[in-house]
Amino acid sequence: MRLLLAIVIIAVIALIGTRVTFLNRRLPIGFRNFLLTGVEYIFIGAILGSMGIDLIDAKSLIALKPFLLFGLTWVGFLYGLQFEIRLLRDLPRFYFSITAIQSTITFIVITISTFFILRYLLDISLPQIVLASSVLGCIGSCSAQSAIAIVSQNYRFENKGLIDLIRYISSVDGMFALTFFSLALFILPDQNHTEINILSSLKWLLITIALGGLPALILVILSKSKFTQAEFLVFLIGTVMFSGGLAYQTEHPPLISGLICGVITANFCRHRVRALSVAVTAEKSIYIFLLIIIGAGWKFEFNNSVWIAIGYWSFRTLGKLLGNFLATRSFQPSYPVPETIGLGLLSEGGLAIAIILSFQLLHEAIADYLITVIILSVVANEMISPRLILAQFSNVKRIALKK
Amino acid sequence: MPYRIIGLFLVLGSMSLVVHTRLLNEADYISPTLVLGFLLISAYCVGYILSHWGLPKITGNLLAGLAFGPYFLKYFTQQTVVDLNFLNSLALAFIAFCAGGEFKIDKIRLQLKSILLLISGVTTIVFLGVSLIVLSISEMIPFMANYDISIRIAISALFGVIAVARSPSSTIAIISETKAKGDYTSMVLSVTIVTDVVIIILFGIVISFCQVLITGGGNIDLTFFLDLITEIGIALVIGFLLGKSIVFLIQKVKMEFPVVITAVGFLVIKFSHLLGNYLHEVYNIGIHLEPLLICMAAGFTIQNFSKYGKEFLSKMDRVSLPIYVAFFAITGASINIDILKSGWVLGLVIVLSRTIMIFIGSYVSGRVSGDPPRIYRYTWLGFITQAGVSLGLLTEIVRRFPEIGIPIQSILIAAITLNQIIGPIAFKFALNRVGETNVR
């Protein structure tokens, strides 16, 4: 019964949430950061979960796994659909390069620094530490768009170039985060082996590509002849579920199989735009579902995780500052860019949650340490991000509230 | 077509690689997510391919579930099918909302006489006809032969009452698939839905009558009928309020209501059972609210008491295909071949006698009510499908009369399975013959 209630409550919250979250409302300043970024769903999840009324208990979480797998694969698929090589080639090199540099530097800074923190604080094997710190690195390298959306809704900026740059980076750097995540799992694909083995890594890579590639091929073939919109929905849901299910069954990450499935669809399916528009429709609901799930499964304890979170957050901030500083200085945009632009990209949201949940499916023991780290960091960043974005602009005007 | 065949072979090949070769996977248990994804694609393809030979797509979905399931190609186990049951509840709620939404007062008013005559005529003739046929051959049915006449009458009545039940889900799915619209379509649908309510009352009456004959004591409790009417009344009121709440949500929150409606329906199904158990255990009150009736009433309210009726149906229709494909494929996978094997001969007798009685009942009712021949010649073909309601009633028979219930169940499951396969084919054929397909 708990499971059934949990499913319904999550579904209703997720759907109502899509109407009120992220950017659609103008609320008094105190509520804005909390209520409009999606962070509140982590707390709703925590209240419904074992730290609260235990409606979504451990058993329910296990039973909700098919939905979780579907959600994670769908997120990967959605990102993959944006990897259309023809379009990527047409993107302004300048923006793309800045994004690539800032993501890579942030990833390196976080991975190296958290490697030492984890080594000092956790009693796990060296390859596991390499894996955990790399995962933290890739999660930290992406930025969410929620904070920039809130700020844009409420303020008008003279420096339009800068706001566009922040918006561009935060929408594209997820691709790099997912690429880094694939690389991180490539290092230690099998949780039963604690040593790095190139052969098993290569095997993992090939299988992961096949798990995303085969369903994508099926989608491409099915959509070659005439079909209705309803049939296309069957193809898409079926393909994504099949890809996620295959990945989970063979102990591979559904997020990455979804990503590969999306990349192949984007480049070989004639109906990629149609697929993208369907995938985007479900995006918000899926993110809210993931936020609630991570909140429900969260077991907060004041232990090493808190210190790791502080370290992770600090080095992520440093990485973002350094990465964006170096990237923007290398390319010298035509508009003024402050040295601290990295502080405007601290917001961390749905993709970070999707990556850690996907990681948890495969490496539960290590992921348990990291869940608290990511939740604390996401919450802290969502709280301060709108203010930090505003601080990057010398001249901003508050848009009057409409009555 | 060739692309669907290639797609089907690809999905079967990939699944075999994981499930049968054990090359990539050593676990015995197959994840429900994988099975669902697999069934969505494969059952869709089979449905599509078979539709080229005139078969309804849902028959293809059913056959795919049966073929790829635990009895034949064994792509997944019985346990996975059980794990996927939650999806059936979701799909049933969705279908019940659609069924209620298809029920338009204006349309019904025009056909009221025919609908009432059909319901009363077919129900009476099928119930009495099947009961009498079973009674007349009861000495040849091994488990009935040794009972005295009163018990044989009771058992025959149980066969008769189950024969009355139909399948709104298959009817709705076929109408949606064929894009059918017209007098014939709305009459078959209305009769099927109302029979769903009638069968609950009739079943209640028959079961109390059988209780007296089989257990051999007590009188028929007349307050029981009052309880039944109360239950139906409460379900309709709750459904109306639920419908109004959904309209409010649509107006104020502007939600994607097919998903909300499915979730709400699911909640209704589960809470109805929970409430029934709770009232029984705590207050010893035997009220059982029929959840599908609540969902139907809610769909009916949205259609007839709000301005969102048309939008409601078109939005539900847009997302209905994946739900139908999954629902019928899982239903196919749930078919128990062992039971079918053991009871198919008697099952076939029941199917034949039921079909003949349906034909007589609908033909006579149609002629009496003055329907055009185009309609009354084919009405019976729309009433053959049987599914969920019948199975639910069978479970109740087994619960009340375990000794005779189990053999009845095995025979009737075989009959229902056959009707489940024949029914959609017959209905699609009839819709084509009366020329009401592809007009939506």
Side-chain angles (χ1 to χ4, degrees):
Chain A
M1 191 61 204
R2 278 172 194 276
L3 167 68
L4 307 172
L5 269 175
I7 290 170
V8 173
I9 288 172
I10 289 174
V12 173
I13 290 175
L15 282 157
I16 294 176
T18 58
R19 296 293 167 190
V20 295
T21 326
F22 299 121
L23 47 103
N24 293 350
R25 293 286 186 278
R26 303 270 321 273
L27 288 174
I29 196 154
F31 289 102
R32 235 179 300 149
N33 298 2
F34 184 75
L35 280 183
L36 295 184
T37 55
V39 167
E40 71 276 18
Y41 293 107
I42 296 178
F43 291 103
I44 290 174
I47 292 167
L48 295 173
S50 57
M51 290 205 299
I53 57 174
D54 207 22
L55 179 66
I56 308 175
D57 56 5
K59 215 172 141 191
S60 302
L61 281 172
I62 293 170
L64 281 168
K65 223 169 224 175
F67 294 95
L68 177 64
L69 286 172
F70 176 69
L72 292 173
T73 319
W74 193 271
V75 169
F77 181 71
L78 181 58
Y79 267 93
L81 284 175
Q82 295 162 65
F83 272 99
E84 192 184 338
I85 293 166
R86 190 176 53 85
L87 284 183
L88 287 177
R89 274 203 211 114
D90 295 343
L91 283 175
R93 289 257 166 95
F94 159 74
Y95 277 146
F96 194 76
S97 308
I98 289 181
T99 311
I101 292 171
Q102 73 88 29
S103 294
T104 311
I105 292 175
T106 312
F107 170 71
I108 293 168
V109 169
I110 299 173
T111 305
I112 293 173
S113 56
T114 53
F115 172 82
F116 291 107
I117 297 172
L118 296 179
R119 197 156 188 205
Y120 180 70
L121 291 174
L122 298 183
D123 186 22
I124 52 177
S125 71
L126 189 67
Q128 284 179 318
I129 289 176
V130 172
L131 179 62
S133 53
S134 315
V135 169
L136 285 177
C138 69
I139 292 173
S141 68
C142 66
S143 326
Q145 286 193 299
S146 46
I148 190 75
I150 291 173
V151 171
S152 319
Q153 279 266 311
N154 291 280
Y155 296 91
R156 200 162 281 145
F157 305 93
E158 267 182 21
N159 191 349
K160 292 248 188 297
L162 181 59
I163 199 82
D164 283 346
L165 178 65
I166 294 176
R167 204 174 275 144
Y168 180 87
I169 293 174
S170 60
S171 66
V172 174
D173 62 2
M175 291 185 185
F176 293 96
L178 285 172
T179 311
F180 297 143
F181 182 52
S182 311
L183 284 174
L185 290 175
F186 176 74
I187 297 169
L188 194 66
D190 187 352
Q191 60 173 331
N192 299 321
H193 295 103
T194 48
E195 282 170 14
I196 294 167
N197 181 332
I198 291 295
L199 210 64
S200 67
S201 292
L202 283 173
K203 187 182 161 197
W204 177 89
L205 185 69
L206 282 175
I207 294 173
T208 307
I209 292 172
L211 297 175
L214 266 173
L217 183 64
I218 293 169
L219 176 65
V220 171
I221 287 172
L222 287 178
S223 57
K224 269 193 179 290
S225 48
K226 256 173 70 178
F227 55 82
T228 62
Q229 184 65 16
E231 287 175 313
F232 194 57
L233 196 62
V234 176
F235 301 164
L236 276 187
I237 297 175
T239 304
V240 170
M241 240 175 201
F242 191 53
S243 177
L246 281 174
Y248 182 67
Q249 191 71 31
T250 55
E251 295 178 1
H252 284 73
L255 190 64
I256 304 302
S257 71
L259 177 78
I260 291 164
C261 186
V263 173
I264 295 172
T265 306
N267 291 287
F268 296 100
C269 181
R270 274 189 297 174
H271 304 278
R272 58 184 78 87
V273 179
R274 217 164 159 184
L276 188 62
S277 76
V278 175
V280 165
T281 318
E283 185 191 11
K284 279 185 189 172
S285 297
I286 286 173
Y287 274 132
I288 293 171
F289 171 75
L290 297 181
L291 290 166
I292 293 173
I293 287 292
I294 200 167
W298 187 24
K299 292 181 192 91
F300 177 73
E301 282 175 52
F302 199 89
N303 54 19
N304 283 338
S305 298
V306 178
W307 304 116
I308 300 170
I310 294 170
Y312 165 76
W313 183 85
S314 311
F315 284 105
R316 181 174 184 267
T317 308
L318 180 69
K320 284 279 174 195
L321 270 170
L322 188 66
N324 284 283
F325 174 76
L326 291 176
T328 48
R329 286 300 167 271
S330 313
F331 286 90
Q332 292 290 339
S334 55
Y335 41 83
V337 176
E339 290 175 349
T340 55
I341 182 189
L343 293 178
L345 286 155
L346 284 187
S347 178
E348 245 179 325
L351 187 60
I353 301 292
I355 293 175
I356 193 64
L357 284 172
S358 195
F359 181 63
Q360 192 188 28
L361 286 172
L362 304 169
H363 299 267
E364 206 174 338
I366 319 174
D368 280 349
Y369 290 110
L370 306 187
I371 295 266
T372 299
V373 176
I374 299 304
I375 290 180
L376 293 179
S377 172
V378 165
V379 173
N381 283 325
E382 293 303 299
M383 293 292 126
I384 58 170
S385 283
R387 287 273 170 220
L388 290 175
I389 293 173
L390 283 176
Q392 306 310 310
F393 295 86
S394 53
N395 196 354
V396 286
K397 265 187 198 151
R398 179 100 163 85
I399 301 169
L401 277 168
K402 284 174 196 161
K403 287 193 176 173
Chain B
M1 175 89 150
Y3 290 116
R4 305 291 200 272
I5 296 173
I6 298 169
L8 177 63
F9 278 110
L10 265 177
V11 78
L12 292 179
S14 324
M15 194 69 176
S16 292
L17 207 63
V18 173
V19 177
H20 293 145
T21 65
R22 306 237 161 179
L23 203 64
L24 304 171
N25 160 60
E26 283 164 16
D28 285 326
Y29 180 72
I30 308 295
S31 141
T33 317
L34 175 59
V35 173
L36 196 55
F38 163 73
L39 278 179
L40 269 173
I41 302 172
S42 58
Y44 163 79
C45 290
V46 173
Y48 184 88
I49 293 163
L50 292 187
S51 72
H52 280 257
W53 285 289
L55 288 176
K57 285 177 182 162
I58 66 161
T59 305
N61 304 153
L62 266 170
L63 294 176
L66 181 65
F68 305 143
Y71 289 95
F72 294 100
L73 293 176
K74 298 183 178 164
Y75 280 110
F76 46 92
T77 59
Q78 199 72 52
Q79 183 54 44
T80 315
V81 179
V82 173
D83 290 344
L84 284 169
N85 268 343
F86 73 93
L87 255 174
N88 271 24
S89 300
L90 272 174
L92 268 177
F94 181 90
I95 293 166
F97 275 112
C98 288
E102 293 280 359
F103 219 70
K104 293 171 191 157
I105 290 178
D106 301 343
K107 199 88 189 160
I108 295 167
R109 212 173 275 154
L110 294 173
Q111 298 178 307
L112 194 62
K113 189 181 154 202
S114 306
I115 290 171
L116 289 176
L117 269 168
L118 258 176
I119 292 167
S120 48
V122 176
T123 304
T124 313
I125 291 174
V126 170
F127 173 64
L128 292 177
V130 172
S131 303
L132 285 172
I133 290 173
V134 173
L135 185 64
S136 63
I137 59 164
S138 61
E139 284 184 348
M140 289 183 272
I141 301 173
F143 85 97
M144 284 177 82
N146 296 330
Y147 289 115
D148 65 36
I149 187 71
S150 64
I151 295 182
R152 275 192 274 152
I153 289 173
I155 296 172
S156 307
L158 290 174
F159 275 101
V161 75
I162 297 292
V164 174
R166 317 265 161 75
S167 167
S169 52
S170 303
T171 309
I172 289 275
I174 290 289
I175 290 172
S176 169
E177 180 189 320
T178 54
K179 297 184 171 58
K181 194 179 177 183
D183 291 343
Y184 174 81
T185 308
S186 70
M187 191 181 295
V188 169
L189 184 64
S190 306
V191 172
T192 304
I193 292 169
V194 176
T195 306
D196 235 26
V197 181
V198 172
I199 185 75
I200 296 168
I201 301 172
L202 185 66
F203 182 75
I205 297 169
V206 171
I207 209 106
S208 15
F209 164 76
C210 293
Q211 192 98 44
V212 175
L213 288 178
I214 293 170
T215 56
N219 298 313
I220 294 175
D221 185 4
L222 287 175
T223 58
F224 177 78
F225 304 118
L226 193 68
D227 288 348
L228 266 178
I229 302 295
T230 313
E231 282 173 11
I232 291 170
I234 293 173
L236 293 176
V237 171
I238 293 176
F240 178 78
L241 294 175
L242 188 67
K244 283 283 176 194
S245 315
I246 292 168
V247 170
F248 173 79
L249 284 175
I250 295 166
Q251 278 173 332
K252 300 290 174 192
V253 194
K254 304 275 177 208
M255 295 191 299
E256 289 85 351
F257 60 74
V259 186
V260 175
I261 279 167
T262 311
V264 170
F266 194 46
L267 191 66
V268 170
I269 288 174
K270 295 304 164 187
F271 267 120
S272 307
H273 292 310
L274 190 76
L275 185 71
N277 291 343
Y278 177 78
L279 288 175
H280 182 71
E281 281 166 20
V282 179
Y283 299 104
N284 202 22
I285 298 172
I287 281 192
H288 170 72
L289 296 176
E290 184 52 52
L292 293 182
L293 191 58
I294 297 175
C295 294
M296 275 188 204
F300 177 79
T301 306
I302 299 170
Q303 176 61 255
N304 295 288
F305 300 103
S306 83
K307 57 180 180 181
Y308 296 98
K310 206 172 167 191
E311 193 188 339
F312 166 73
L313 276 186
S314 86
K315 284 195 172 180
M316 296 286 273
D317 200 45
R318 239 177 275 165
V319 295
S320 61
L321 189 61
I323 293 174
Y324 292 141
V325 174
F327 176 74
F328 288 103
I330 296 168
T331 306
S334 316
I335 291 175
N336 191 324
I337 295 295
D338 294 334
I339 292 182
L340 190 64
K341 264 194 243 168
S342 67
W344 77 271
V345 178
L346 281 171
L348 197 61
V349 173
I350 301 291
V351 169
L352 286 173
S353 47
R354 177 178 178 266
T355 308
I356 293 166
M357 292 306 143
I358 288 175
F359 171 73
I360 297 170
S362 49
Y363 193 89
V364 172
S365 307
R367 287 209 76 158
V368 172
S369 62
D371 290 338
R374 179 181 75 90
I375 289 184
Y376 68 70
R377 276 184 197 150
Y378 295 104
T379 320
W380 65 285
L381 288 168
F383 297 146
I384 294 174
T385 46
Q386 272 194 302
V389 177
S390 335
L391 294 173
L393 299 180
L394 268 180
T395 314
E396 187 61 17
I397 293 175
V398 175
R399 193 182 69 79
R400 292 207 187 211
F401 315 109
E403 200 185 323
I404 59 158
I406 290 169
I408 292 178
Q409 191 183 36
S410 68
I411 295 167
L412 282 177
I413 283 182
I416 292 164
T417 306
L418 293 170
N419 283 329
Q420 222 168 29
I421 295 168
I422 302 163
I425 301 171
F427 187 35
K428 189 181 174 185
F429 170 79
L431 284 169
N432 282 324
R433 291 308 292 260
V434 296
E436 292 190 359
T437 53
N438 294 314
V439 284
R440 280 190 177 210

